[in-house]
Amino acid sequence: MTIAELSPLPLAHLRRGKVREVYIVDDDRLLLVATDRVSAFDVVMREPIPHKGAVLTQITAWWLRQLTGGVAHHMLSADTDEIVEAVPSLADHRAALAGRAMLCRRTTVFPVECVVRGYLSGSAWKEYSATMTLAGESLPPDLRESERLDPPLFSPATKAEMGHDQNITMAQMSTMVGPRIADELERLSRLIYTRGRTIAAERGIIIADTKFEFGRDRDGRITLIDEVLTPDSSRFWPAEHYQPGRGQPSFDKQPLRDYLDAERRAGRWNGESPPPPLPPEVVAATSARYLDAFRRITGTELAADGASQ
Ligand SMILES: Nc1ncnc2c1ncn2[C@@H]1O[C@H](COP(=O)(O)OP(=O)(O)OP(=O)(O)O)[C@@H](O)[C@H]1O
Ligand SMILES: [Mg+2]
């Protein structure tokens, strides 16, 4: 089943993101549901991308199972049968949720995006090429676009409701959450990214940068939440095409971006909502890329009903 819009679930709806819907199960638990919506250039497309939601949820679940050493995380289950068993009112929605839902421990979210950059790209490259800084702090001279950074940079940002997140310094982050928490979120972010980057690289994917979120659970534990090391929260590059000194193709969204760029150049799209309709071959190519990301990272096929094996 391909899904852009979920039919209403018998749960209180907490939040609608560009891609995910968040529901309240009870005081202690949330249900995160990844739809098949895709966004590019900050615009959500009309056409769903088959399997994308299940790919995102099951990649997160896979990473969380790899990361059990030393990192508390929010996942209770990403197995739809288990979720329906735990929340019986979802029984009629089993098919719509298959593979794409994650039952999570509910936390109080720290209001910072914990960005880790292992390669110089995107807004970081833009700032660096203008001023040789990142969030105002100096970096070594002579770095090239897409250059690998060792050690990776921790570059926190504020969570913006609208528009782009704003980079902040460690000093600003410390003021927001306290110095002890700021240090711990940095330590955890670097640890998870570094483990993830190594595992992904062995499988032909460069995770250039990524964003983590953390919350505090009801026992006060700092907990990794949200999606983890997915193509939507990270820049994935195909390792076989990596070449520093230029921008890199996106592992998952390149066919979509190329199509939208061509529409823009031809004057058929102004870059804003509503987006142009996507031809079926662009939808199919994008879906294939997401499935390939799942296959490369986990070494398994996404199961037919969207569950991971
Ligand atoms: N365990 C958790 N406890 C509390 N909040 C959580 C938890 N896990 C995730 N969240 C929150 O759920 C929300 C997910 O929705 P979000 O709006 O980010 O969706 P999205 O599909 O990523 O869209 P966008 O692209 O607009 O960010 C985030 O605000 C995140 O902080
Ligand atoms: Mg989000």
Side-chain angles (χ1 to χ4, degrees):
M1 192 178 297
T2 299
I3 284 197
E5 304 301 327
L6 273 179
S7 58
L9 298 182
L11 298 174
H13 189 232
L14 182 65
R15 184 182 171 94
R16 159 171 244 219
K18 284 199 284 291
V19 172
R20 288 170 305 154
E21 307 283 352
V22 185
Y23 297 87
I24 298 172
V25 175
D26 53 34
D27 285 351
D28 293 330
R29 296 177 300 172
L30 295 178
L31 189 74
L32 263 54
V33 184
T35 67
D36 293 327
R37 294 194 289 265
V38 67
S39 70
F41 306 117
D42 280 334
V43 175
V44 179
M45 304 295 122
R46 254 178 305 234
E47 294 77 3
I49 303 299
H51 310 295
K52 176 174 180 279
V55 163
L56 294 181
T57 298
Q58 296 306 324
I59 285 182
T60 296
W62 188 85
W63 283 119
L64 291 178
R65 289 193 291 265
Q66 308 301 303
L67 292 171
T68 39
V71 182
H73 63 70
H74 71 161
M75 179 169 70
L76 297 168
S77 179
D79 177 303
T80 312
D81 290 333
E82 268 175 30
I83 294 174
V84 169
E85 203 170 305
V87 189
S89 66
L90 296 174
D92 289 347
H93 301 267
R94 200 206 165 284
L97 295 175
R100 66 179 78 249
M102 185 178 286
L103 188 64
C104 301
R105 201 169 282 121
R106 188 174 184 178
T107 69
T108 307
V109 183
F110 295 111
V112 263
E113 310 263 351
C114 294
V115 178
V116 187
R117 301 175 185 277
Y119 292 78
L120 190 55
S121 177
S123 64
W125 166 247
K126 223 182 248 170
E127 179 180 335
Y128 176 82
S129 51
T131 57
M132 286 199 334
T133 59
L134 181 59
E137 290 175 33
S138 300
L139 293 185
D142 306 326
L143 294 176
R144 292 170 297 171
E145 183 174 11
S146 308
E147 185 121 26
R148 185 178 159 108
L149 301 166
D150 274 303
L153 292 172
F154 179 66
S155 74
T158 52
K159 290 158 71 78
E161 275 306 310
M162 292 288 285
H164 287 292
D165 297 340
Q166 185 80 37
N167 286 341
I168 55 172
T169 60
M170 248 331 247
Q172 288 169 305
M173 178 171 167
S174 293
T175 309
M176 291 171 72
V177 299
R180 210 180 51 79
I181 300 284
D183 285 351
E184 180 61 1
L185 298 189
E186 172 174 5
R187 186 187 73 80
L188 288 169
S189 300
R190 288 177 175 284
L191 175 79
I192 303 159
Y193 171 74
T194 304
R195 281 186 196 167
R197 161 165 99 168
T198 307
I199 293 172
E202 289 161 2
R203 293 153 154 88
I205 291 179
I206 292 175
I207 301 183
D209 52 37
T210 195
K211 179 216 63 170
F212 299 113
E213 291 188 40
F214 295 89
R216 199 193 277 285
D217 75 6
R218 63 154 34 187
D219 299 325
R221 235 181 339 196
I222 294 180
T223 304
L224 176 62
I225 64 167
D226 209 58
E227 55 182 337
V228 175
L229 298 172
T230 71
D232 277 16
S233 66
S234 323
R235 266 194 189 88
F236 277 27
W237 294 336
E240 64 269 28
H241 299 306
Y242 174 65
Q243 212 188 319
R246 58 161 171 80
Q248 311 298 310
S250 152
F251 193 96
D252 43 300
K253 288 185 184 171
Q254 206 56 44
L256 176 58
R257 291 207 182 134
D258 290 348
Y259 178 76
L260 292 172
D261 268 335
E263 288 298 285
R264 213 155 29 174
R265 276 196 307 274
R268 287 191 289 266
W269 183 43
N270 65 5
E272 286 164 25
S273 215
L278 302 180
E281 58 275 15
V282 172
V283 171
T286 308
S287 176
R289 297 280 191 116
Y290 276 91
L291 286 169
D292 190 27
F294 178 87
R295 189 179 301 121
R296 285 208 205 184
I297 287 189
T298 68
T300 62
E301 293 293 327
L302 190 74
D305 69 349
S308 126
Q309 316 200 317

